[in-house]
């Protein structure tokens, strides 16, 4: 009975040891990854911003702007290695209910490393020809203190996001990364703009002047400083700030007008929401990487030792008789010998 119990415990121990190994080296890689069916919203707001109202061709100053970003995962397009997220950002003026700018992105990326790929219909806006590279919305799980190439939607290219220190946001220790996008031409304004708006005194001398409309050809020039706070355990963003400045530049290389100047910061409510998501994900990661493997291995080893002790039979030992018993036996033996040596009466 004892041996049977021991063998059962050895079998259970082998199960827990195998389970610990399986969870640590296989299940962890499957679970610790960007979710395929994500749905997430975050809001950034700017105060004392200015922008060019294209409807009235006037600069609005001292306004409050709101940028709402929605990310939705396309689970049908995802695989075990690749996630596909569709992102939509709308920058609006709540006072006038006018849309200032809209950004759209379809990103396909490595679910663990965050690396962008140009597959699964990846695009910026409706342009599938944009070559996306570096990392985007999702950072690598286990972020390091170094620079990363970070994809910028406005310029449609990557710029370094440099590690800039550690902070605590909503109770989470995060890494701060700063990306500086230098003034970059992003597009040419179709049809140009009136010379009076650009305060050009002699527009006829400028390249791109249209005699029929009196408009001047201009390019939109974008520059920004983007700060991102990332949870190094999960690769998820916890907060973001975008300092954006857009100017209108004539073909002679002179910046004529500031078309947008805003400092977008994530709201406290959005920070709390993202912090909760990252905390929950971090608990799952710790469970499959540490708690379950170590706990399973420890329990398996304990059961193995107990099972072997019960299953392996010990040596049989001879229990010696007490000294008194030995003496009694010797006395009886001597008496018997003396009795046998006595002469019989009939002899």
């Amino acid at each position: 009975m004892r041996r049977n119990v021991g063998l059962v415990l050895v079998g259970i121990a082998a199960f827990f040891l195998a389970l610990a190994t399986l969870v640590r080296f296989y299940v962890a890689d499957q679970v610790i990854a960007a979710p395929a069916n994500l749905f997430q919203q975050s809001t950034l707001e700017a105060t004392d911003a200015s922008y060019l109202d294209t409807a009235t061709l006037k600069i609005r100053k001292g306004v409050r702007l709101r940028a709402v970003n929605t990310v939705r995962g396309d689970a049908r397009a995802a695989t075990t290695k690749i996630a596909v997220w569709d992102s939509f950002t709308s920058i609006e003026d709540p006072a006038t209910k006018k849309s200032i700018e809209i950004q759209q992105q379809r990103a396909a990326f490595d679910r663990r490393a965050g690396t962008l790929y140009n597959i699964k219909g990846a695009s910026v806006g409706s342009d599938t020809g944009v070559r996306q590279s570096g990392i985007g919305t999702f950072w690598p799980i286990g972020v390091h203190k170094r620079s990363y190439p970070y994809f910028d939607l406005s310029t449609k290219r990557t710029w370094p996001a440099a590690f800039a220190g550690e902070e605590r946001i909503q109770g989470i220790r995060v890494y701060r990364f700063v990306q500086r996008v230098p003034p970059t031409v992003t597009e040419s304004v179709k049809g140009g703009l009136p010379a009076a708006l650009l305060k050009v005194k002699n527009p006829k001398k400028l390249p791109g002047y249209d005699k029929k409309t009196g408009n001047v050809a201009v390019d939109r020039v974008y520059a920004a400083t983007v700060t991102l706070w990332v949870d190094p355990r999960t690769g998820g963003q916890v907060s973001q700030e975008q300092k954006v400045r857009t100017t209108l530049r004539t073909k002679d290389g002179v910046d004529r007008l500031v078309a947008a100047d805003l400092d977008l910061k994530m709201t406290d409510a959005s920070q709390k929401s993202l912090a909760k998501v990252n905390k929950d994900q971090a608990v799952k990661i710790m469970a499959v990487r540490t708690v379950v493997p170590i706990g399973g291995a420890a329990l398996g080893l304990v059961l193995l030792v107990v099972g072997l002790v019960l299953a392996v039979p010990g040596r049989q030992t001879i229990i010696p008789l007490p000294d008194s018993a030995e003496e009694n036996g010797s006395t009886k033996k001597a008496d018997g010998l003396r009795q046998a040596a006595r002469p019989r009466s009939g002899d």
Side-chain angles (χ1 to χ4, degrees):
M1 179 66 181
R2 171 175 170 169
R3 184 172 182 274
N4 291 337
V5 173
L7 292 175
V8 171
L9 291 179
V10 170
I12 297 174
F15 168 77
F16 276 106
L17 290 173
L19 178 64
T21 303
L22 181 67
V23 170
R24 178 62 183 86
F25 296 102
Y26 178 75
V27 177
D29 288 338
Q30 304 302 314
V31 174
I32 303 174
N37 58 344
L38 175 78
F39 179 81
Q40 178 178 288
Q41 282 189 323
S42 57
T43 301
L44 289 80
E45 292 183 344
T47 58
D48 196 24
S50 63
Y51 71 95
L52 174 63
D53 187 335
T54 55
T56 62
L57 292 181
K58 292 182 179 180
I59 299 294
R60 289 178 53 83
K61 297 181 179 181
V63 299
R64 178 185 293 271
L65 297 179
R66 180 182 296 125
V68 179
N69 172 255
T70 302
V71 180
R72 186 190 301 272
D74 186 348
R76 293 183 179 180
T79 67
T80 56
K81 294 183 178 181
I82 302 296
V84 181
W85 290 359
D86 293 311
S87 174
F88 179 86
T89 302
S90 175
I91 304 177
E92 299 177 346
D93 182 348
T96 62
K97 297 183 180 180
K98 290 182 178 180
S99 178
I100 310 303
E101 184 180 357
I102 292 177
Q103 293 181 337
Q104 291 178 282
Q105 179 191 24
R106 183 174 174 85
F109 60 92
D110 188 292
R111 296 181 64 180
R112 296 163 190 85
T115 307
L116 291 166
Y117 295 107
N118 295 289
I119 57 176
K120 307 283 185 178
S123 63
V124 175
S126 59
D127 188 356
T128 57
V130 177
R131 299 291 89 186
Q132 299 185 47
S133 61
I135 58 175
T137 304
F138 186 80
W139 288 65
I141 296 175
V143 177
H144 298 292
K145 298 178 180 180
R146 64 175 180 85
S147 294
Y148 287 88
Y150 189 74
F151 187 75
D152 175 65
L153 289 179
S154 296
T155 57
K156 300 177 183 179
R157 55 177 292 188
T158 59
W159 303 92
F163 175 75
E166 297 184 27
E167 293 183 19
R168 294 194 75 84
I169 294 181
Q170 303 297 337
I172 295 180
R173 182 178 65 89
V174 294
Y175 290 174
R176 184 177 75 254
F177 294 89
V178 178
Q179 180 193 58
R180 291 182 172 84
V181 180
T184 304
V185 175
T186 58
E187 64 174 341
S188 294
V189 178
K190 187 177 181 180
L193 290 172
L197 174 65
L198 302 173
K199 299 180 181 179
V200 177
K201 294 182 179 179
N202 195 354
K204 295 181 181 180
K205 294 183 178 181
L206 289 176
Y209 173 71
D210 190 338
K211 295 180 180 180
K212 294 182 179 180
T213 62
N215 288 352
V216 178
V218 294
D219 294 326
R220 192 180 300 275
V221 180
Y222 174 89
T225 298
V226 181
T227 305
L228 308 115
W229 288 268
V230 181
D231 187 335
R233 304 168 300 174
T234 64
Q237 291 188 31
V238 179
S239 188
Q240 186 179 141
E241 179 180 358
Q242 299 180 21
K243 294 182 179 180
V244 177
R245 184 180 175 87
T246 301
T247 58
L248 298 176
R249 178 182 297 174
T250 50
K251 296 298 183 179
D252 59 352
V254 178
D255 290 338
R256 303 286 181 174
L257 181 69
V258 177
D261 189 2
L262 51 146
D263 184 359
L264 289 163
K265 298 180 180 180
M266 186 169 288
T267 63
D268 186 67
S270 291
Q271 285 184 3
K272 289 180 179 179
S273 177
L274 294 180
K276 184 182 184 305
V277 171
N278 281 278
K279 286 178 181 178
D280 293 344
Q281 184 66 10
V283 170
K284 295 178 182 178
I285 291 175
M286 182 179 293
V288 297
R289 273 187 175 170
T290 306
V291 177
V292 174
I294 292 179
L299 180 59
L301 289 174
V302 171
L303 292 175
L304 180 63
V305 171
V306 175
L308 290 175
V309 169
L310 295 176
V312 178
R315 293 181 178 180
Q316 294 182 352
T317 57
I318 299 175
I319 303 176
L321 293 173
D323 292 341
S324 59
E326 291 182 359
E327 290 177 357
N328 292 336
S330 299
T331 302
K332 290 180 179 180
K333 184 176 181 181
D335 291 343
L337 290 173
R338 282 195 297 269
Q339 199 172 30
R342 289 178 183 176
R344 299 178 180 179
S345 57
D347 292 344

